[in-house]
Structure formats: structure tokens, C-alpha cells
Amino acid sequence: VQLQASGGGLVQAGGSLRLSCAASGRTFSSYAMGWFRQAPGKDREFVAASRSGGSTYYADWVKGRFTISRDNRKNTVYLQMNSLKPEDTAAYYCAAALRVIVSTIRLPSTYGYWGQRTQVTVSS
């Protein structure tokens, strides 16, 4: 599967952005989809994930500000980000995995397919 992320940009603190990740292939609905981010000098960290059955998972620090959703008809997963903070500034990546277990869904190593980065910059 190939992934194409988009939707990043520059936004003021408190603003919103919606990231999109379009996937190729006919079996999108079978994949778990995840969003990760990486700030300069930091490790890549988990943001949110959606399993093929619809269950969603979030990093603790998201605290209701972000929502992951997917449209299997459009082969697309979204990350709606509200109440953005300067510390949300990072390169954001979408990822896909065909078989996941809940205990590893937050690990980058679980995902075998990655899209290119989309940059999110939040100004104070």
C-alpha cells in the first residue's frame, strides 16, 4: 500500500488543521492506520490509530483535542486537530499495518508502510 499525506501548514495557537492520508490499493479497510509525529531532535511518537474494525486509540497527551477517522470508500484516514499548541509543531506521518495487536498499536515498528511527512507548524 502507498500512502500520501497532506493537510499540514502554518496555524496560530488555538487553531485547527485536518490532515489527510490517502492510500492506494483495494484492501484499505483491512489495514490499521496510524498517525505519528516527529519534532526536530526527538523520537517519532504515536498520535492516534484506527483499527480496521473501527476502534480508535490516542496518545494520552491528545486529551480530546485530536480525532482520527477513516473513510474506507475513499481509502483515506484523517486526523482532525483542534486547539493546537506550539508544542504540536512537528512533521506528521501516516502509517499502515495489516495485522496489529492492541498492545503494539502505538509502536512505530508495528507499521510496515509509511507516507511522506506533512509539516505542521503552530505559532504562538
Side-chain angles (χ1 to χ4, degrees):
V1 63
Q2 293 183 321
L3 306 175
Q4 181 76 28
S6 62
L10 174 64
V11 64
Q12 289 187 331
S16 298
L17 282 174
R18 188 177 80 157
L19 306 183
S20 300
C21 177
S24 64
R26 295 175 292 178
T27 59
F28 174 79
S29 61
S30 300
Y31 285 82
M33 301 298 298
W35 286 99
F36 291 79
R37 70 183 189 181
Q38 189 167 18
K42 295 188 177 181
D43 293 335
R44 190 167 297 189
E45 66 173 347
F46 172 76
V47 178
S50 169
R51 293 183 71 186
S52 59
S55 300
T56 57
Y57 305 83
Y58 295 93
D60 290 342
W61 53 262
V62 168
K63 295 182 179 178
R65 297 187 298 126
F66 296 179
T67 302
I68 188 171
S69 61
R70 62 194 296 163
D71 186 336
N72 289 334
R73 296 169 301 173
K74 296 182 178 180
N75 283 10
T76 301
V77 63
Y78 304 98
L79 184 69
Q80 177 67 43
M81 303 187 295
N82 299 327
S83 302
L84 283 162
K85 305 174 182 180
E87 51 264 43
D88 293 318
T89 295
Y92 283 71
Y93 299 86
C94 62
L98 190 54
R99 296 180 182 85
V100 298
I101 56 176
V102 174
S103 61
T104 62
I105 202 166
R106 292 173 172 80
L107 301 177
S109 59
T110 293
Y111 298 81
Y113 305 94
W114 290 84
Q116 87 292 355
R117 59 181 286 167
T118 186
Q119 179 67 35
V120 172
T121 303
V122 184
S123 63
S124 57

mmCIF file of all heavy atoms in Angstrom, residues 91-109:
data_model
loop_
_atom_site.group_PDB
_atom_site.id
_atom_site.type_symbol
_atom_site.label_atom_id
_atom_site.label_comp_id
_atom_site.label_asym_id
_atom_site.label_seq_id
_atom_site.Cartn_x
_atom_site.Cartn_y
_atom_site.Cartn_z
ATOM 1 N N ALA A 91 6.754 17.231 12.185
ATOM 2 C CA ALA A 91 6.417 16.546 10.944
ATOM 3 C C ALA A 91 5.474 15.402 11.300
ATOM 4 O O ALA A 91 5.753 14.629 12.216
ATOM 5 C CB ALA A 91 7.673 16.004 10.278
ATOM 6 N N TYR A 92 4.373 15.325 10.602
ATOM 7 C CA TYR A 92 3.373 14.292 10.875
ATOM 8 C C TYR A 92 3.414 13.254 9.753
ATOM 9 O O TYR A 92 3.537 13.598 8.568
ATOM 10 C CB TYR A 92 1.983 14.918 10.975
ATOM 11 C CG TYR A 92 1.760 15.616 12.295
ATOM 12 C CD1 TYR A 92 2.413 16.807 12.589
ATOM 13 C CD2 TYR A 92 0.906 15.080 13.252
ATOM 14 C CE1 TYR A 92 2.224 17.443 13.810
ATOM 15 C CE2 TYR A 92 0.702 15.712 14.475
ATOM 16 C CZ TYR A 92 1.370 16.888 14.736
ATOM 17 O OH TYR A 92 1.179 17.522 15.946
ATOM 18 N N TYR A 93 3.277 11.999 10.163
ATOM 19 C CA TYR A 93 3.346 10.882 9.236
ATOM 20 C C TYR A 93 2.132 9.981 9.431
ATOM 21 O O TYR A 93 1.728 9.731 10.566
ATOM 22 C CB TYR A 93 4.594 10.046 9.481
ATOM 23 C CG TYR A 93 5.899 10.770 9.302
ATOM 24 C CD1 TYR A 93 6.466 11.496 10.341
ATOM 25 C CD2 TYR A 93 6.588 10.709 8.090
ATOM 26 C CE1 TYR A 93 7.672 12.156 10.183
ATOM 27 C CE2 TYR A 93 7.805 11.352 7.919
ATOM 28 C CZ TYR A 93 8.336 12.082 8.970
ATOM 29 O OH TYR A 93 9.539 12.729 8.795
ATOM 30 N N CYS A 94 1.615 9.473 8.340
ATOM 31 C CA CYS A 94 0.624 8.415 8.461
ATOM 32 C C CYS A 94 1.296 7.082 8.160
ATOM 33 O O CYS A 94 2.310 7.025 7.471
ATOM 34 C CB CYS A 94 -0.577 8.630 7.541
ATOM 35 S SG CYS A 94 -0.200 8.655 5.783
ATOM 36 N N ALA A 95 0.712 6.025 8.699
ATOM 37 C CA ALA A 95 1.303 4.698 8.557
ATOM 38 C C ALA A 95 0.202 3.654 8.505
ATOM 39 O O ALA A 95 -0.907 3.884 8.993
ATOM 40 C CB ALA A 95 2.247 4.424 9.723
ATOM 41 N N ALA A 96 0.532 2.513 7.934
ATOM 42 C CA ALA A 96 -0.445 1.436 7.797
ATOM 43 C C ALA A 96 0.179 0.119 8.220
ATOM 44 O O ALA A 96 1.369 -0.129 8.018
ATOM 45 C CB ALA A 96 -0.929 1.347 6.354
ATOM 46 N N ALA A 97 -0.664 -0.716 8.791
ATOM 47 C CA ALA A 97 -0.237 -2.055 9.192
ATOM 48 C C ALA A 97 -1.384 -3.017 8.931
ATOM 49 O O ALA A 97 -2.536 -2.716 9.237
ATOM 50 C CB ALA A 97 0.157 -2.073 10.657
ATOM 51 N N LEU A 98 -1.031 -4.174 8.401
ATOM 52 C CA LEU A 98 -2.082 -5.127 8.048
ATOM 53 C C LEU A 98 -2.547 -5.932 9.253
ATOM 54 O O LEU A 98 -3.723 -6.228 9.383
ATOM 55 C CB LEU A 98 -1.590 -6.063 6.946
ATOM 56 C CG LEU A 98 -2.648 -6.962 6.298
ATOM 57 C CD1 LEU A 98 -3.809 -6.121 5.774
ATOM 58 C CD2 LEU A 98 -2.047 -7.777 5.191
ATOM 59 N N ARG A 99 -1.643 -6.269 10.114
ATOM 60 C CA ARG A 99 -2.010 -7.056 11.286
ATOM 61 C C ARG A 99 -1.423 -6.397 12.513
ATOM 62 O O ARG A 99 -0.210 -6.221 12.595
ATOM 63 C CB ARG A 99 -1.482 -8.483 11.155
ATOM 64 C CG ARG A 99 -2.103 -9.245 10.000
ATOM 65 C CD ARG A 99 -1.552 -10.654 9.910
ATOM 66 N NE ARG A 99 -2.118 -11.378 8.779
ATOM 67 C CZ ARG A 99 -1.663 -11.317 7.549
ATOM 68 N NH1 ARG A 99 -0.614 -10.571 7.289
ATOM 69 N NH2 ARG A 99 -2.238 -12.011 6.587
ATOM 70 N N VAL A 100 -2.279 -6.006 13.417
ATOM 71 C CA VAL A 100 -1.794 -5.382 14.649
ATOM 72 C C VAL A 100 -2.503 -6.004 15.842
ATOM 73 O O VAL A 100 -3.615 -6.519 15.728
ATOM 74 C CB VAL A 100 -2.023 -3.861 14.653
ATOM 75 C CG1 VAL A 100 -1.273 -3.190 13.522
ATOM 76 C CG2 VAL A 100 -3.503 -3.536 14.577
ATOM 77 N N ILE A 101 -1.834 -5.915 16.962
ATOM 78 C CA ILE A 101 -2.475 -6.232 18.227
ATOM 79 C C ILE A 101 -2.470 -4.965 19.063
ATOM 80 O O ILE A 101 -1.608 -4.092 18.886
ATOM 81 C CB ILE A 101 -1.762 -7.390 18.953
ATOM 82 C CG1 ILE A 101 -0.269 -7.078 19.171
ATOM 83 C CG2 ILE A 101 -1.939 -8.690 18.199
ATOM 84 C CD1 ILE A 101 0.457 -8.141 19.954
ATOM 85 N N VAL A 102 -3.417 -4.852 19.932
ATOM 86 C CA VAL A 102 -3.615 -3.612 20.665
ATOM 87 C C VAL A 102 -2.368 -3.216 21.443
ATOM 88 O O VAL A 102 -2.019 -2.034 21.504
ATOM 89 C CB VAL A 102 -4.828 -3.733 21.594
ATOM 90 C CG1 VAL A 102 -4.942 -2.496 22.478
ATOM 91 C CG2 VAL A 102 -6.094 -3.920 20.774
ATOM 92 N N SER A 103 -1.667 -4.181 21.977
ATOM 93 C CA SER A 103 -0.516 -3.859 22.822
ATOM 94 C C SER A 103 0.626 -3.214 22.057
ATOM 95 O O SER A 103 1.514 -2.610 22.662
ATOM 96 C CB SER A 103 -0.020 -5.123 23.529
ATOM 97 O OG SER A 103 0.393 -6.093 22.582
ATOM 98 N N THR A 104 0.627 -3.331 20.753
ATOM 99 C CA THR A 104 1.719 -2.760 19.960
ATOM 100 C C THR A 104 1.253 -1.667 19.003
ATOM 101 O O THR A 104 2.040 -1.164 18.209
ATOM 102 C CB THR A 104 2.427 -3.853 19.145
ATOM 103 O OG1 THR A 104 1.490 -4.434 18.219
ATOM 104 C CG2 THR A 104 2.992 -4.940 20.047
ATOM 105 N N ILE A 105 0.024 -1.255 19.096
ATOM 106 C CA ILE A 105 -0.517 -0.326 18.098
ATOM 107 C C ILE A 105 0.121 1.047 18.200
ATOM 108 O O ILE A 105 0.078 1.830 17.250
ATOM 109 C CB ILE A 105 -2.040 -0.241 18.207
ATOM 110 C CG1 ILE A 105 -2.643 0.255 16.890
ATOM 111 C CG2 ILE A 105 -2.481 0.632 19.391
ATOM 112 C CD1 ILE A 105 -4.133 0.068 16.787
ATOM 113 N N ARG A 106 0.734 1.362 19.315
ATOM 114 C CA ARG A 106 1.366 2.668 19.493
ATOM 115 C C ARG A 106 2.837 2.677 19.101
ATOM 116 O O ARG A 106 3.500 3.708 19.188
ATOM 117 C CB ARG A 106 1.208 3.122 20.948
ATOM 118 C CG ARG A 106 -0.229 3.435 21.345
ATOM 119 C CD ARG A 106 -0.360 3.712 22.836
ATOM 120 N NE ARG A 106 -1.688 4.191 23.205
ATOM 121 C CZ ARG A 106 -2.735 3.408 23.378
ATOM 122 N NH1 ARG A 106 -2.617 2.105 23.236
ATOM 123 N NH2 ARG A 106 -3.912 3.941 23.717
ATOM 124 N N LEU A 107 3.359 1.556 18.657
ATOM 125 C CA LEU A 107 4.777 1.458 18.322
ATOM 126 C C LEU A 107 5.007 1.693 16.825
ATOM 127 O O LEU A 107 4.384 1.036 15.994
ATOM 128 C CB LEU A 107 5.300 0.077 18.702
ATOM 129 C CG LEU A 107 5.185 -0.317 20.170
ATOM 130 C CD1 LEU A 107 5.685 -1.736 20.380
ATOM 131 C CD2 LEU A 107 5.925 0.666 21.053
ATOM 132 N N PRO A 108 5.936 2.571 16.478
ATOM 133 C CA PRO A 108 6.243 2.769 15.053
ATOM 134 C C PRO A 108 6.654 1.477 14.355
ATOM 135 O O PRO A 108 6.340 1.284 13.176
ATOM 136 C CB PRO A 108 7.397 3.777 15.086
ATOM 137 C CG PRO A 108 7.231 4.519 16.367
ATOM 138 C CD PRO A 108 6.691 3.506 17.332
ATOM 139 N N SER A 109 7.302 0.604 15.060
ATOM 140 C CA SER A 109 7.793 -0.640 14.457
ATOM 141 C C SER A 109 6.656 -1.569 14.031
ATOM 142 O O SER A 109 6.866 -2.505 13.258
ATOM 143 C CB SER A 109 8.722 -1.366 15.425
ATOM 144 O OG SER A 109 8.044 -1.664 16.633
#
